[in-house]
Amino acid sequence: MAYVCQLGAGQSVYLENQGVQTVVTLISSSPGQQQQASSSFSTGVWSSPPQVFQTPHGMVIKITSQQGEKTLQIRGSSLSVLGEMPSVTNSQQLTVDEVTSLPVSPGIEPMKPMEPMKPMKPMNLKMGDMQMNMNPMSMQMGNMELRMGSSEANPKSFCSQCGTSVQPEDRFCSNCGHQL
């Protein structure tokens, strides 16, 4: 069972009983856009259609189920559960219409799925003395070089002080003399 109620000023509430859960969707729409926010509450299976009342403090929704009554309150765009039903003697009961699906505002087309991304072309970037390549990833800047995913059997090592390429058997950097 699903119901919708027009709250006014481009706002409506969609109520749906899914087993023991009640799904409440607040829908706000204006020309060219629509926003919606949903919340779910455990209420049990409805025994009668929901009732919506306009009160001085917002909207009150009364859900009657096999487990008893649940009361929800809408203030602006927020939704909360109330411990008890407030007095609705001076409130206006709004019309709740049964629907088959979530309403969509006229003039708003559903979004089309995105096309899958195309594979990236190999990247070669060169700026001054800096050069960067992809696949395998490598970057050179002056006499410093960095490689990732390289197919070399012996990856290069670098001096932690100045970045100069060093051999695994070196004990000192040939550029700055730093002990490796």
Side-chain angles (χ1 to χ4, degrees):
M1 288 186 272
Y3 295 87
V4 69
C5 177
Q6 301 301 322
L7 304 178
Q11 192 176 31
S12 59
V13 63
Y14 174 78
L15 305 159
E16 184 175 13
N17 191 213
Q18 298 176 348
V20 296
Q21 292 290 110
T22 294
V23 178
V24 181
T25 304
L26 287 172
I27 304 166
S28 297
S29 58
S30 59
Q33 68 180 14
Q34 180 176 348
Q35 296 177 346
Q36 48 188 58
S38 292
S39 298
S40 178
F41 303 93
S42 180
T43 59
V45 178
W46 295 351
S47 55
S48 64
Q51 295 176 302
V52 180
F53 300 92
Q54 184 172 5
T55 70
H57 305 291
M59 305 295 169
V60 174
I61 302 170
K62 179 180 172 186
I63 305 287
T64 306
S65 71
Q66 297 167 345
Q67 295 178 351
E69 289 183 358
K70 292 278 186 181
T71 306
L72 309 172
Q73 184 173 33
I74 300 172
R75 283 190 179 183
S77 61
S78 66
L79 181 68
S80 58
V81 178
L82 298 177
E84 59 185 39
M85 181 72 176
S87 172
V88 291
T89 51
N90 294 328
S91 302
Q92 176 186 359
Q93 184 170 359
L94 301 177
T95 305
V96 179
D97 299 314
E98 190 169 355
V99 294
T100 55
S101 65
L102 188 66
V104 177
S105 290
I108 297 180
E109 296 179 25
M111 290 181 64
K112 296 179 182 122
M114 287 179 52
E115 291 182 25
M117 288 182 63
K118 295 180 175 122
M120 286 181 59
K121 295 177 183 172
M123 185 175 84
N124 260 336
L125 176 67
K126 191 167 187 162
M127 292 187 322
D129 68 345
M130 185 177 97
Q131 183 175 346
M132 196 168 163
N133 299 310
M134 296 294 277
N135 205 9
M137 186 173 165
S138 67
M139 187 171 113
Q140 285 181 303
M141 194 154 98
N143 63 351
M144 294 188 298
E145 184 176 347
L146 173 67
R147 290 185 185 272
M148 295 176 71
S150 171
S151 60
E152 295 178 20
N154 295 326
K156 290 187 178 183
S157 297
F158 301 93
C159 173
S160 61
Q161 191 71 25
C162 69
T164 299
S165 179
V166 293
Q167 298 300 317
E169 62 272 2
D170 290 345
R171 295 181 63 199
F172 296 94
C173 175
S174 61
N175 186 47
C176 70
H178 179 71
Q179 184 177 354
L180 302 173

